[in-house]
Amino acid sequence: MTNQLPERSLTLVVLESTICLVLTICSLVGNTMLCLAVYRNPRLRSTTNLYIIALSVGDLMCAVLEMPLTFWTLVVGKWVFGDGVCQLHGFVDVFSTYCPPATMGLTAFNRYIRIVKTNHYRQIFSPWRSKFWLFGVWFSLAGYLLIARVTNWQRYDFVVGFAACSVEHYTENRKLIHYCFVVSLYFGVSFLVAIFSYYNVFQAIRKHHLQVAPRLYSTSLATTSATQTLRISIQEIRISKSIAVVMAGFTLCWIPMWSLSLTNRFSSSPVPRIIPLLVTFFIFFSSSINPFIYAATNNGFRQEFRRMVFCFKRKARVATARMRAGTIVENINVNHEAENPEDEKNVNVTYLAIVRASASASATVRSSAKYGQKPLYENADHAR
């Protein structure tokens, strides 16, 4: 196994490392905020969002266990983490390559049942069955990869072109069997299911707009139940369109990625180093853009992201104010010169009390202004 990357110029090292670092930070921050949004807001814990969170968890696993190691490899120019870490890194690399398309196919099928076959939705995608389908997709892939590694059907080695550890095959026949099985099932079938599902979903949405919505909007005597039904339909349509945008982003990343990957794996002649490295960057890019797509297209996630950002800013302002108050008291204590230690102690307590009293007075003034009352000191001045 060759652990050394080819000789590169300083400019190329900086460029590759910077791209990888930016993608790592975006994926870590975005997917962490996505998981926190669902944790903080119970309204986001729907069946469809279960698959979105599954995608986010998979991307977060890639951002924690794979991206930083690839970044450091690009910086130092070689793999320095040993064979044990390489086995884990290779497993995560292969899992994060094959699992997202299958999860997206399952998400698209969920939208198809919800929009087109609404009467069967609670039977097929009940809360328990939704988790079962997700469990089946994830653990079937993980089980296959683990069994193939334990039985020595394939191994994980450092691949210089990818700047990462990935699957390596002992024979060409095993490589062909592996790609025929994995690519056809976890990418090909999933991609066809997604196309079929969203074709029918958008046909149903178009029919909804042409027939149902105008009739409901045109009458002023619509019942409450009809209005609620309309709201549910609009909400489901928005969710479907949001996931369609995510799938479009996946398609833009994964079709070039798979084309380059298969070219690199089966090409009889050596390929330029940029081709396998682009495969790695496409995988990282797809893990980074999903949270931003959700924030741009899903109002629930966008509002929760805004609350978290404003909450962080508020906490930062409070911490800064406390630090400034502490600095003022500290400066007073240091600059004041007392004749004896007992006087200095009293002065320190007095100044601290003044600082606290001023804070309480500010709160009183704000509270009085809120209810249209004059502050106490204004009343006192008026009395004098």
Side-chain angles (χ1 to χ4, degrees), residues 79-311:
W79 179 262
V80 296
F81 301 102
D83 184 65
V85 178
C86 185
Q87 300 303 309
L88 175 62
H89 191 260
F91 175 83
V92 174
D93 174 77
V94 178
F95 186 83
S96 61
T97 301
Y98 300 143
C99 195
T103 308
M104 284 304 304
L106 185 60
T107 309
F109 185 67
N110 172 275
R111 290 290 86 200
Y112 167 75
I113 299 297
R114 184 68 181 94
I115 299 297
V116 181
K117 305 291 184 181
T118 308
N119 296 332
H120 303 286
Y121 184 76
R122 294 187 180 275
Q123 300 175 358
I124 300 176
F125 284 102
S126 64
W128 181 86
R129 289 183 179 178
S130 299
K131 297 174 183 177
F132 175 78
W133 302 133
L134 182 64
F135 178 90
V137 170
W138 278 46
F139 279 85
S140 62
L141 176 59
Y144 163 74
L145 296 177
L146 290 174
I147 292 173
R149 182 63 189 93
V150 171
T151 58
N152 213 26
W153 173 267
Q154 60 192 22
R155 67 185 187 276
Y156 299 117
D157 283 338
F158 179 72
V159 181
V160 175
F162 294 151
C165 292
S166 188
V167 61
E168 287 287 349
H169 306 276
Y170 290 101
T171 64
E172 290 297 322
N173 289 334
R174 292 185 181 184
K175 179 196 293 188
L176 184 61
I177 294 173
H178 168 80
Y179 279 100
C180 287
F181 171 71
V182 174
V183 175
S184 61
L185 180 61
Y186 288 94
F187 180 73
V189 173
S190 301
F191 189 66
L192 292 177
V193 168
I195 292 176
F196 168 81
S197 299
Y198 264 96
Y199 174 79
N200 288 277
V201 164
F202 280 112
Q203 288 292 326
I205 291 175
R206 183 173 178 272
K207 183 179 179 180
H208 170 82
H209 285 315
L210 293 176
Q211 297 181 3
V212 180
R215 188 164 58 249
L216 289 177
Y217 279 117
S218 62
T219 177
S220 60
L221 301 176
T223 62
T224 303
S225 60
T227 304
Q228 292 176 350
T229 303
L230 177 60
R231 289 176 181 172
I232 293 174
S233 300
I234 293 175
Q235 180 184 6
E236 294 297 336
I237 289 171
R238 288 174 178 173
I239 293 174
S240 301
K241 290 182 178 180
S242 173
I243 297 177
V245 175
V246 175
M247 287 196 60
F250 258 100
T251 303
L252 293 176
C253 291
W254 287 89
I255 289 183
M257 187 279 295
W258 276 110
S259 301
L260 295 174
S261 179
L262 294 177
T263 300
N264 177 68
R265 290 289 187 176
F266 291 99
S267 177
S268 57
S269 58
V271 296
R273 177 177 173 270
I274 188 62
I275 290 181
L277 189 60
L278 281 177
V279 172
T280 301
F281 284 162
F282 270 123
I283 295 174
F284 292 174
F285 183 67
S286 68
S287 299
S288 305
I289 63 173
N290 292 337
F292 300 98
I293 294 177
Y294 299 140
T297 58
N298 190 299
N299 187 50
F301 283 110
R302 182 167 58 252
Q303 291 182 357
E304 196 60 39
F305 286 172
R306 189 180 294 116
R307 291 192 192 101
M308 284 190 287
V309 171
F310 288 159
C311 180

